[in-house]
């Protein structure tokens, strides 16, 4: 019933089982004696034989192309040991091997003694003794009994070294290598295990005490495993062979033993084996799907435990291929990998993260990117970033995660109908980018793991260690932002904004800037359309006309009118005009407006906010006489500052930004809000004595002060004055205390404040890109006053250069100023005394020549960060004029 093609396949199978085409019968018998597959001869069909033979033939071609036969004098052009052969990658070698197997044109080399034949012996570990016994019977047909004995001994030794790795075996092999200075057995054990995923997946299993009786279910599984090994289908899914649970701790200890061996002994073999492993896993995940996801994940865990994964050899070859294979893991498998790393491999997280950071940095620094070939096109960088996301979530799971956090009540903004605007978007869309009105999709991995960065009080590694500054500096944010805003279903390019953990806050703020500017442009088009059809007068900008003497009243009244009539106008570009003053607002006037309004609003005399003496922060006044509308307008001001890229001099505690992101305050937030109170409550929680009631003498009635210093009392529970705090209820007391101070006592004020903030930022990707700490930086700016960075980034105009005498004198004077005077200088030149996100290197200051020596004071265009400096004749005169200018300039002289 076999066709001619089937006969050819069978003959090729016989060729694959021999060492070369001219092998002797004895050699053929010896090759067939190797435990290649555990096949029951009775049940094996011709089709199975051909299938296995073709598979083995392709595999032999693959390893011959990739690693060679080991003979330095080889002249086979299809062998890596030959000088004629081309260097191939694993993928290229696999493709060529398939072609050679189909054409039957290339010869297979004799295997060199130093090269060990690769077989699938470990597909049948549970019945290896039966297979070996069967194979030994074939060996007895040899004419030379002495040769047979030596071959049997070598086969037993090789079979012993080719099984799954264990901690004890690794220790023995490493000790033997150190003592004998021979790494042959160690290399064979590592190479054979790491090249075969099904073998590596069975490595480092938790040992089971053989003296203990096995449950009936385990006995049944063992019988099924043995039956499978002798089944007629050699390609049956090995996932059914279940074994003891993976022991991550044993794996970690085993590689600590390996770290004691000089890496030169095993690096090359292990790099090659890891590349092969990654190729097998990628093919299995993408095509064959024979290995269970649990075993695949175990392979990745073991691979990343290698101590030298961050060394140069691994960075160039092994690590990129592993990153490429991890990309094919489904979401559930990625989540399992993150959980394993977080629960059992915490110590390895830094090791893995540093290796990935090094890979990305080296790639970015050594590659010349352009507008044609950008970093988003570099698969080595993008795939490492995708793997880093799994490490990022594992890092959060391994840290201190708040359980069952309370959510802030959702803010509902009434959708305002704008038929003309909607029609314009339909007829004249800005681009193929999705509109801001579409909600941002949640990260599926975060959904699977049920974790959010807001819930992580303290990650295992600081979030800042995930930043990659060389990468952040090399990204063309306009292009990355366009890819980020492209609809997910039609996205064709990688966007780093989808992986915000790797980008610095300064880089992400640029992406937010593009988002806000596009929104402003969209609202401007709508206003022009309204004017064209006569529906409303043209209002392309959000104009505020205020008086300096009544800045709070005027600003709040105008913003309230805009919020009531058409809240969408809040998303237009802000233009501020001070009544009675000339000048066009190109940014500088808005900066001054926000500075003045913040100084008055957060003044304790105004009564809306109180000062926290311990933390030097401001907090909502729970007994304020102001209306909710005024707190709403304060939230609008904060949202407008972020929306218009303006830094404010506000000092909110971190809990405010967490609450703005949707999480209520809890006990841990008291550490930043009121350190003294937090430490006292923490001592109570840590107190273990039975006399807590007598020591603290605290009831569930608390006392706090209003803005006037009057004592106010509140019962955390009914009849709280008669209920004392004990060891049994102290946790409840602490949680209720924090909840009252941070949430309930200011619920009305904060709800109104958050509503105003959301009115401006509801369509912004703010919460998707930034953590609360980064939002604080967006609002308040950086705290790093490094004027050396400012000097390096400053540009010169009008004849000045960095080598001009007056410029050198200027920086000499500036570097000797105190921090207060430096703030005044920033205020004078830029309109704000705050440092921009990322530091002073992101502040583009321009110093221009303003004529020859004179008695005039320096002037500044704050809208453009330009300092006009006459060429004074001496340093003393420059110092005198500069100090007068920055000390008495408030309210005039800034344009």
């Amino acid at each position: 019933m076999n066709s001619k093609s089937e006969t050819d396949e069978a003959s090729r199978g016989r060729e694959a089982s021999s060492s070369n085409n001219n092998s002797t019968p004895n050699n053929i018998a010896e090759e067939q004696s190797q435990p290649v597959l555990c096949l029951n001869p009775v049940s094996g069909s011709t089709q199975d034989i051909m299938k296995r033979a073709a598979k083995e033939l392709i595999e032999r071609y693959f390893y011959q192309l990739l690693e060679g036969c080991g003979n330095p004098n080889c002249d086979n052009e299809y062998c890596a040991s030959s000088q004629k052969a081309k260097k191939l990658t694993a993928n290229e070698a696999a493709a060529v091997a398939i072609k050679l197997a189909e054409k039957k044109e290339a010869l297979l080399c004799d295997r060199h003694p130093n090269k060990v034949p690769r077989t699938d012996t470990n597909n049948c570990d549970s019945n290896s003794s039966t297979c070996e016994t069967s194979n030994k019977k074939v060996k007895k047909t040899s004419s030379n009994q002495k040769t047979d004995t030596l071959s049997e001994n070598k086969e037993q030794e090789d079979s012993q070294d080719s099984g799954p790795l264990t901690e004890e075996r690794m220790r023995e092999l490493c000790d033997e290598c150190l003592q004998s200075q021979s790494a042959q057995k160690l290399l064979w054990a590592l190479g054979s295990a790491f090249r075969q995923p099904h073998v590596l997946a069975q490595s480092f299993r938790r040992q089971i005490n053989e003296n203990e009786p096995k449950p009936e279910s385990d006995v049944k599984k063992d019988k099924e495993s043995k039956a499978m090994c002798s089944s007629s289908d050699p390609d049956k899914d090995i996932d059914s062979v279940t074994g003891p649970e993976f022991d991550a701790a044993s794996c970690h200890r085993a590689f600590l033993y390996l770290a004691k061996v000089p890496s030169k002994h095993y690096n090359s073999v292990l790099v090659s084996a890891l590349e092969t492993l990654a190729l097998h896993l990628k093919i299995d995940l993408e095509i064959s799907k024979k290995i269970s996801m649990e075993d695949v994940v175990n392979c990745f865990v073991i691979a990343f435990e290698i101590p030298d994964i961050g060394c140069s050899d691994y960075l160039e070859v092994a690590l990129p291929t592993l990153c490429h294979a991890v990309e094919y893991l489904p979401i559930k498998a990625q989540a399992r990998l993150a959980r394993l790393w977080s629960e059992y491999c915490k110590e390895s997280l830094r090791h893995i993260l540093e290796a990935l950071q090094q890979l990305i940095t080296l790639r970015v620094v050594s590659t010349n990117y352009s507008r044609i070939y950008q970093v988003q096109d570099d698969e080595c960088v993008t795939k490492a970033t995708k793997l880093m996301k799994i490490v990022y979530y594992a890092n959060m799971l391994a840290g201190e995660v708040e359980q069952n956090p309370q959510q802030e009540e959702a803010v509902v903004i009434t959708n305002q109908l704008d038929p003309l605007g909607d029609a314009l978007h339909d007829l004249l869309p800005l681009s193929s980018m999705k509109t801001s009105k579409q909600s941002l999709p949640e990260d599926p991995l975060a959904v699977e793991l049920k974790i959010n960065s807001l819930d992580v009080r303290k990650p295992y590694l600081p979030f800042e260690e995930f930043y990659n500054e060389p990468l952040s500096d090399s990204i063309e944010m306009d292009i990355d932002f366009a890819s980020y805003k492209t609809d997910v279903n039609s996205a064709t390019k990688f966007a780093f904004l989808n992986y915000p953990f790797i980008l610095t806050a300064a880089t992400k703020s640029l992406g937010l800037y593009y988002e806000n500017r596009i929104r402003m442009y969209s609202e401007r088009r709508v206003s022009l359309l309204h004017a064209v059809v006569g529906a409303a007068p043209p209002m392309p900008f959000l104009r505020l006309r205020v008086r300096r003497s009544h800045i709070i009243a005027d600003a709040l009244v105008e913003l309230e009118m805009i919020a009531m009539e058409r809240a969408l106008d809040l998303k237009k570009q802000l233009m501020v005009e001070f009544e009675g003053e000339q000048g066009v607002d190109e940014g500088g006037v808005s900066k001054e407006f926000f500075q003045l309004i913040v100084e008055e609003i957060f003044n304790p005399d105004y009564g809306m906010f109180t000062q926290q003496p311990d933390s030097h922060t401001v907090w909502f006044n729970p007994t304020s006489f102001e209306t909710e509308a005024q707190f709403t307008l304060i939230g609008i001001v904060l949202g407008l500052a972020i929306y218009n890229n303006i830094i404010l001099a506000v000092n909110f505690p971190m809990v405010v930004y967490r609450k703005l992101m949707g999480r209520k305050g809890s006990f841990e937030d008291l550490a930043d809000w009121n350190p003294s109170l937090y430490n006292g409550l923490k001592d109570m929680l840590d107190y273990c004595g039975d006399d807590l009631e007598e020591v603290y003498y605290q009831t569930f009635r608390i006392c706090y002060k209003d803005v006037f210093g009057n004592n106010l009392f509140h019962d955390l529970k009914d009849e709280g004055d008669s209920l004392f705090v004990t060891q049994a209820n102290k946790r409840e007391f602490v949680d209720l205390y924090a909840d009252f101070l941070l949430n309930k006592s200011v619920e009305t004020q904060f709800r109104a404040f958050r509503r105003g903030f959301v009115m401006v930022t509801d369509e912004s990707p703010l919460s998707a890109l930034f953590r609360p700490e980064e939002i604080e930086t967006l609002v308040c700016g950086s705290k790093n006053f490094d004027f050396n960075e400012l000097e390096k980034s400053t540009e010169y105009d009008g004849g000045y250069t960095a080598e001009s005498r007056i410029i050198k004198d200027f920086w000499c004077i500036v570097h000797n100023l105190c921090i207060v005077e430096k703030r005044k200088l920033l205020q004078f030149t830029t309109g704000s005394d705050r440092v921009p996100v990322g530091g002073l290197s992101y502040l583009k200051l321009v110093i221009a020549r303003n004529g020859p020596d004179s008695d005039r004071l320096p002037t500044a265009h704050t809208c453009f960060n330009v300092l006009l400096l006459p060429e004074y004749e001496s340093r003393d005169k420059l110092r005198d004029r500069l100090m007068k200018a920055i000390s008495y300039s408030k309210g005039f002289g800034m344009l």
Side-chain angles (χ1 to χ4, degrees), residues 400-603:
E400 299 176 7
V401 182
E402 185 174 0
Q403 302 298 326
N404 302 320
Q406 291 182 306
Q407 307 289 327
E408 285 285 351
E409 183 180 351
V411 176
V412 180
I413 305 297
T414 304
N415 292 328
Q416 297 188 358
L417 298 178
D418 189 3
L420 290 176
D422 295 338
L424 179 62
H425 282 298
D426 294 336
L427 295 175
L428 300 171
L430 286 174
S431 65
S432 61
M433 294 188 297
K434 59 188 178 184
T435 62
S436 299
K437 295 181 180 180
Q438 295 177 342
S439 59
L440 295 171
E442 292 187 83
D443 187 347
L445 183 56
V447 174
E448 180 67 26
L449 293 171
K450 299 178 181 179
I451 192 170
N452 190 297
S453 60
L454 294 174
D455 305 330
V456 181
R457 289 296 179 179
K458 184 179 180 182
Y460 183 75
L461 301 175
F463 285 124
E464 291 76 15
E465 293 193 16
F466 286 83
Y467 293 153
N468 190 294
E469 293 185 3
L471 173 65
S472 299
D473 294 339
S474 65
I475 292 176
E476 296 287 348
M477 184 48 65
D478 55 342
I479 297 178
D480 194 82
F481 176 76
S483 302
Y484 171 71
K485 295 298 291 185
T486 303
D487 188 15
V488 177
N489 297 325
S490 60
T492 59
K493 197 167 185 178
F494 183 90
F496 284 100
L497 284 175
N498 287 318
Y499 302 83
F501 55 84
I502 199 173
L503 303 177
T504 61
T507 302
K508 289 185 287 188
S509 67
L510 185 57
L512 185 65
Y513 173 80
Y514 286 127
E515 165 77 21
N516 295 338
R517 288 294 168 177
I518 290 175
R519 180 66 187 180
M520 291 176 185
Y521 176 66
S522 176
E523 291 298 328
R524 193 180 307 170
R525 292 198 315 159
V526 172
S527 296
L528 294 176
L529 180 63
H530 278 244
V532 169
V533 300
M539 294 181 59
F541 302 101
L542 173 60
R543 291 190 177 275
L544 295 180
R545 184 180 176 87
V546 296
R547 297 168 294 176
R548 285 185 181 272
S549 57
H550 300 79
I551 189 170
I552 296 293
D554 291 351
L556 296 187
V557 168
E558 289 206 37
L559 289 174
E560 185 175 9
M561 293 294 295
I562 294 171
M564 292 175 60
E565 293 178 0
R566 189 177 185 272
L568 290 176
D569 288 343
L570 295 173
K571 297 175 183 178
K572 296 178 180 179
Q573 184 176 352
L574 179 64
M575 301 287 287
V576 178
E577 179 182 348
F578 286 105
E579 188 173 329
E581 299 182 18
Q582 296 181 354
V584 178
D585 185 7
E586 292 291 343
V589 180
S590 297
K591 293 177 185 178
E592 186 181 4
F593 162 76
F594 278 106
Q595 181 187 7
L596 295 175
I597 201 170
V598 163
E599 286 180 357
E600 289 203 32
I601 286 177
F602 292 97
N603 191 326

Side-chain angles (χ1 to χ4, degrees), residues 713-729:
F713 296 91
H714 174 76
D715 287 348
L716 299 176
K717 298 180 70 173
D718 293 339
E719 300 180 356
D721 191 34
S722 59
L723 181 60
F724 281 87
V725 178
T726 63
Q727 286 288 357
N729 61 19

Side-chain angles (χ1 to χ4, degrees), residues 26 29 136-144 148:
N26 289 339
K136 289 175 185 177
K137 291 180 181 179
V138 180
K139 279 183 173 288
K140 292 181 181 179
T141 61
S142 175
S143 59
N144 192 328
D148 291 343

